Structures are given as structure tokens and as C-alpha cells.
Amino acid sequence: MYDVNKVRTDFPILSVEAHPGVPLVYLDSAASSQKPAAVIDAMNAYYRGYNANVHRGIHRLSEDATNAYEGARQRISKFINSPDPCQVIFVRNATEAFNLVAYSWGRTNISAGDEILLTEMEHHANLVPWQLLAEETGATLRFVPFLEDGTLDLSDLSNLLNERTKLFSFTAVSNVFGTINPAKQLIEAAREVGAVTMVDAAQAVPHMPVDVQELDPDFLAFSSHKMCGPTGIGVLYGGRDLLEEMPPFMGGGDMIRRVTLEGSTWNDLPWKFEAGTPSIAEVIGLGAAVDYLSQLGMDQVLEHEQFITNYALEALSEVKGLKVIGPAPSQKGGVAAFTLEGAHPHDIAELLDESGIAVRAGHHCAMPLHHKLGLTATARASFYIHTTTEEVDKLVQGLNRVRQVFRL
Ligand code: PMP
């Protein structure tokens, strides 16, 4: 039985007050999650007990640091069921994973006349790198549209995916609508025309079981800071053959096998893509985050979030003038982006903050999505493993207070 109150005791920050005498209600995990003590302690233990550079030193501290760093990679690899840890490349965040693929794979495989297929609901991280690539190569970007309910319109997919499509990159879960897209079906359709696939799993890996062998994308990206881990670290998973063929993204120490003044040869995977001293403490922190989530069980995590999202959507439907954008709860992850007639999202967020409730307001790095809806911004509450029904009730009370303040 999932015990949310026990989970809450794992997060030191949840007993911090938002303002003097006002408890914190943290409903912004989709932007960045809070960290359990296990993650903070693991990073502390590294800095206090065995801080040293990895892969280089022969001394004890360096060996311990290397073992912890590579051990974390193995557990992270297992967490997404990667066939081999060498297919788990450490990057700064999901954004860097897209840029790495656009730069390294894109600049060797994309040319004028080729098509890159995205969707209209993408985060800027899965849009701007491809815009840069298209500008440089003369390739064309095409988009799978979304319907009014925030689900993808797949009626024209057989035309959008064609022999010119070299890459189909899409989000598994929308950070605004919460839509859980049919990732497996989309990957299979792309493979039929020989297109390479990339999945934005930034809002999936933290919230549900993700098995890369079952899903079978060519590339998949996620960020540590949204899954109980620290900032400054993320993962690019890739198919082994593709990664082997790709040229390095950045040059420098660690990514080489042999260097002469005339030229260099490259290290094996995954280090070929990890130039310079890596984010050691952060990788160890992400390893601890993966242990923490595994011990909760990702099936339980998903179940709790579905329960709380259902509860929240029901409760929010009682707030007059409020409209949640996105699909029905059965197709939705733990985010509720909404508008409240007569109140600007930034004012909503500011007034909620007075009650200790943290939500996000803005375009959530999805400007084209908002533009299509005729909106410049929405307010977004997002739920995670520690969210309770009492917190959702406080959100509803806070929103009713916003209505009173604005005399709506
Ligand atoms: N994709 C999605 C769906 C996201 O929600 C985010 C973070 N908001 C990103 C990509 C980018 O993540 P990061 O900023 O950690 O690179």
C-alpha cells in the first residue's frame, strides 16, 4: 500500500515554511522536483568522504569516485532497462541530449530536402535544436498537429511520415497538456519509413515505468532534476550502432583514446560523448534518486499520480471560470495547466504563493502550443509522489480566494 505520508517524511524541504507560519504546498514538480534525503546524503557523502576526479587517478579516492560514478550509470541503465550501460550517456540535461543528437547525428545524416517530423506540443528543447539544424542543412520541419483536447491528431500521420522523413522526435508526455502520447505506436510507424526516432522522456521517466527495450526508440532523453535527482545532469540513451557511428559532440579530455599533434582517435562508448571532467556528485545523486524511485516502485508512483490527478481534475472542475487544458484523466500525466477567466496566470501564481502554494505560470517553454490555443500563458499545477489530496484541496481554496480578490 502506497503511503504518501511516509514518502513525505523522506523530503526535508516539505517541512519548510513557504512564508513564516505558512506551510509549503509544492505543486511545481514538473518544472523541478524536490530531493529526498537519500539523494542529498549521497552527494554529501561523496564530497565529505571520497571527492576526487574519476577515470584518471590511481589513488584510493579516485578509485572510489570512479566506482560510484560508473556504478550509478549501471543502476540508471537498469532503471530504463537499457541493454548495456555504455548506451547511457551523461549530459547536463534533456536539452543537451537534443543538442547532442542534432549536432552529432543531425549534421552527418540530414541534408537539404530531408524532413524532420516533430509535434505541435513540443517543449522548446525538442524544437529549437532542430530549427537550428534545419536552417543549417536546408531540411524541412513538419509537425503532427494536436486536437482541441490536447491529444495528437494522427489522421494524417501516413502522409507526414514519408520516405523523406529522416527523424521523428516527439514527447512521450506533454509538460503542458499532460497528454501521454502513444510512443510505441509512433516509433513503429516511423520505423516503417526508415526514420530515426527520438523520444523526449523528461516528463515520462520520473513518473512511470519506461523500458527502452520494450519501447525501442533510437534515442531517448531525460533530466535528473525532474526525478528527485540534482540539477546539472541528464541522460541520453541511444541505440548502440547509431552511437558508435556518430562523431563526438565535444572534444577534450576523457573522450579520446590517443592524441597526437596531428589528430586524435576516440574513446569507447559512453565516454566518447563525455568530454572533460563530468558532473560526478550529480551522477552519484541521480544514482541515489533512481534507487529511491525503484524502491517506491514505478508502478506505484504511476498509480499514486493517476489517483491524485483524477482527484485534482475533479476538484478543479468545481472552480467557476476555471478551464484545465488537455485530455481526460485516463490519457493524462500529473499536470493540470489551466486558465481562470478574468485573472492573469501570473497574478494567480502570485496570490497562490501568499498561501504557500507553488505553481508555475507562463508558457512553460511551449510557446507554439500556447499560440495555437490563442493564449500567452497558463498557470500549471503539477503533482508528484508526495502530493496529497489535502494539498489539492488547498489549491482549490487558494483559487477561490483568487476569485474573491478579483471579484470574479
Ligand atoms: N522536455 C520536456 C517535456 C520538459 O518538460 C522539459 C523541462 N521543462 C524539458 C524537455 C527540458 O528539460 P531541461 O530543462 O532539464 O533540459
Side-chain angles (χ1 to χ4, degrees):
M1 181 67 191
Y2 191 84
D3 185 349
V4 68
N5 288 316
K6 182 170 175 307
V7 169
R8 290 179 71 78
T9 63
D10 295 332
F11 289 80
I13 211 166
L14 295 180
S15 46
V16 164
E17 290 176 340
H19 306 290
V22 183
L24 171 70
V25 176
Y26 189 75
L27 300 179
D28 197 19
S29 293
S32 203
S33 68
Q34 296 302 345
K35 322 303 174 199
V39 169
I40 301 165
D41 292 348
M43 296 176 75
N44 239 321
Y46 162 71
Y47 280 127
R48 286 178 169 274
Y50 58 101
N51 170 56
N53 212 332
V54 291
H55 300 149
R56 282 163 240 224
I58 314 282
H59 57 83
R60 207 263 306 164
L61 292 190
S62 178
E63 278 176 17
D64 285 356
T66 304
N67 288 340
Y69 179 82
E70 292 302 337
R73 190 193 312 270
Q74 284 175 9
R75 286 164 7 249
I76 295 158
S77 169
K78 198 161 158 245
F79 186 67
I80 56 167
N81 197 28
S82 163
D84 194 302
C86 79
Q87 291 167 256
V88 167
I89 315 282
F90 290 129
V91 288
R92 268 192 312 139
N93 45 36
T95 301
E96 187 169 297
F98 288 105
N99 280 279
L100 191 161
V101 175
Y103 186 90
S104 171
W105 178 85
R107 279 160 180 76
T108 29
N109 289 282
I110 300 282
S111 43
D114 288 344
E115 292 182 5
I116 297 169
L117 184 61
L118 309 171
T119 83
E120 286 179 344
M121 64 170 79
E122 296 309 318
H123 186 283
H124 298 163
N126 188 27
L127 171 57
V128 182
W130 309 121
Q131 289 176 335
L132 291 169
L133 179 64
E135 214 167 276
E136 203 173 303
T137 57
T140 306
L141 299 185
R142 300 189 74 185
F143 299 91
V144 180
F146 63 77
L147 299 163
E148 217 173 304
D149 69 352
T151 60
L152 289 175
D153 176 1
L154 299 178
S155 59
D156 201 28
L157 191 65
S158 56
N159 171 33
L160 286 167
L161 271 175
N162 58 63
E163 70 284 356
R164 289 183 302 279
T165 315
K166 288 291 173 326
L167 174 78
F168 184 17
S169 187
F170 60 88
T171 193
V173 179
S174 159
N175 64 318
V176 183
F177 290 135
T179 319
I180 301 172
N181 286 322
K184 196 166 168 58
Q185 182 194 337
L186 299 180
I187 289 169
E188 280 168 3
R191 199 146 284 151
E192 269 174 37
V193 297
V196 162
T197 52
M198 181 154 189
V199 175
D200 180 349
Q203 298 291 350
V205 171
H207 304 282
M208 57 191 66
V210 171
D211 178 333
V212 291
Q213 293 193 56
E214 209 256 320
L215 202 57
D216 203 19
D218 293 302
F219 298 108
L220 180 137
F222 57 97
S223 280
S224 152
H225 69 95
K226 294 183 196 282
M227 54 188 290
C228 298
T231 52
I233 193 74
V235 168
L236 169 67
Y237 160 83
R240 193 170 183 151
D241 292 348
L242 274 172
L243 291 173
E244 295 278 12
E245 281 166 19
M246 281 157 56
F249 177 38
M250 286 193 276
D254 238 24
M255 51 73 71
I256 46 78
R257 181 180 306 288
R258 200 178 136 71
V259 179
T260 64
L261 290 179
E262 290 71 38
S264 307
T265 55
W266 315 134
N267 202 343
D268 293 331
L269 291 176
W271 306 291
K272 180 172 86 172
F273 292 106
E274 294 178 7
T277 300
S279 302
I280 304 164
E282 288 73 12
V283 166
I284 291 168
L286 175 58
V290 154
D291 293 344
Y292 178 77
L293 289 171
S294 304
Q295 165 235 312
L296 289 182
M298 291 310 291
D299 286 322
Q300 275 66 42
V301 167
L302 177 62
E303 204 176 300
H304 175 70
E305 284 186 35
Q306 280 174 335
F307 160 73
I308 211 78
T309 307
N310 274 322
Y311 183 87
L313 293 178
E314 185 73 39
L316 289 169
S317 72
E318 305 288 317
V319 180
K320 232 175 126 198
L322 187 143
K323 186 172 176 289
V324 176
I325 61 172
S330 59
Q331 284 173 280
K332 197 170 165 84
V335 301
F338 59 88
T339 54
L340 181 60
E341 217 181 312
H344 192 279
H346 286 108
D347 295 330
I348 297 173
E350 235 176 276
L351 281 167
L352 288 176
D353 176 62
E354 288 175 7
S355 311
I357 304 164
V359 299
R360 198 169 183 82
H363 51 64
H364 318 300
C365 295
M367 281 172 101
L369 179 157
H370 282 82
H371 182 74
K372 176 162 168 168
L373 298 174
L375 299 168
T376 51
T378 49
R380 182 186 70 185
S382 53
F383 317 117
Y384 205 24
I385 47 183
H386 45 67
T387 310
T388 62
T389 50
E390 291 78 19
E391 287 184 310
V392 172
D393 294 343
K394 282 189 186 173
L395 171 67
V396 170
Q397 285 159 19
L399 289 165
N400 281 325
R401 181 172 161 257
V402 173
R403 294 192 62 251
Q404 279 168 10
V405 170
F406 281 94
R407 298 179 200 285
L408 302 175

